[in-house]
Structures are given as structure tokens and as C-alpha cells.
Amino acid sequence: MVKTGRYGQVKLDDVVVANLSNWKLSIKQSLIDVSHFGNDGWDEVVAGNCAFEGSFEGSYDKSDTNGQMAIQKAIVSGEDLEISFMMDKNDEADKYVGKVKVETIDIDTSPKEIIKISVKFKGNGALTFPQE
């Protein structure tokens, strides 16, 4: 089934982070080169560790004490945050869940725009995939 992102959502623990407009999650695997003499000139690799990172952004909201403000406090404290990346807020099984460390927070102001917040993070441990 094809879906749009219009029902997407980000949750910190079980709390919806207010006023977000998009999120991005990148999942990667490191590849270890095991090329050797005599392999007819072809590279060979084996799977290494997996990792994830990403970002989310939206309208800044300092009244969101358990969402946006808690994320801002976490960059200073260095604590892990458990974040759920919902593809459809109406389907609890359609989400990625993992512990993250906040890497950067950008607050963007402009006289002709709303104030925006952008957060970049790196995963800290395993990522849970959507359930079928």
C-alpha cells in the first residue's frame, strides 16, 4: 500500500513532539573490505555493524515542555532519548523506534517566516522496525 507522509509523527517516549512537519531516518550498514590477491580484480566485502541517524523539523514551540524542550535539555545532559518515528499516527505498528543522542539543534528565525526548529540525531543501539 502506498502512503503519504501526512499522518507522520515523532514521539518522545509516548509524548507527541508538537508542530513537526517532517522527519528523516537513515539506516546504514558498514561494509568491511576483504579483498585479496587472486580474486580476479573484484572487490569483496562482508557486513559490519549497522547504525541509524536522521533529523526532524517543524515550528518552534517552547510550550512543548515534554517534547521540543525535553529534546533541547537532552543535548546538554547527553542523555539518551527513546524516539518513535511514526509513518502513520493511526497505526501503532507502523513505526521505527530507537534510542538516540541529539547531535545538533538549529533554531531558524526570519522576519517573513515562522520560527523553525531542526534536530539532528544519531542512534545509540538497535533500531526496531515496523511490525507487519
Side-chain angles (χ1 to χ4, degrees), residues 23-72:
W23 59 264
K24 179 180 179 177
L25 182 62
S26 299
I27 306 164
K28 58 186 178 179
Q29 176 176 309
S30 62
L31 299 176
I32 301 165
D33 189 338
V34 294
S35 301
H36 53 82
F37 297 130
N39 62 357
D40 295 326
W42 290 97
D43 286 344
E44 293 179 20
V45 295
V46 295
N49 290 341
C50 292
F52 68 97
E53 63 186 18
S55 62
F56 49 88
E57 63 185 10
S59 304
Y60 178 80
D61 185 351
K62 75 175 184 177
S63 70
D64 183 22
T65 56
N66 296 318
Q68 288 189 23
M69 298 313 288
I71 292 165
Q72 290 182 55

Side-chain angles (χ1 to χ4, degrees), residues 71-73 75 102-107 117-120:
I71 292 165
Q72 290 182 55
K73 289 177 182 174
I75 197 168
V102 178
E103 186 173 30
T104 61
I105 297 173
D106 294 319
I107 309 294
I117 185 169
S118 300
V119 176
K120 291 183 183 172

Side-chain angles (χ1 to χ4, degrees), residues 76-96:
V76 175
S77 71
E79 73 178 285
D80 282 351
L81 299 175
E82 183 165 297
I83 304 244
S84 299
F85 302 95
M86 313 283 298
M87 288 182 278
D88 184 342
K89 67 182 180 182
N90 300 310
D91 183 356
E92 272 294 315
D94 203 7
K95 65 184 175 185
Y96 292 88

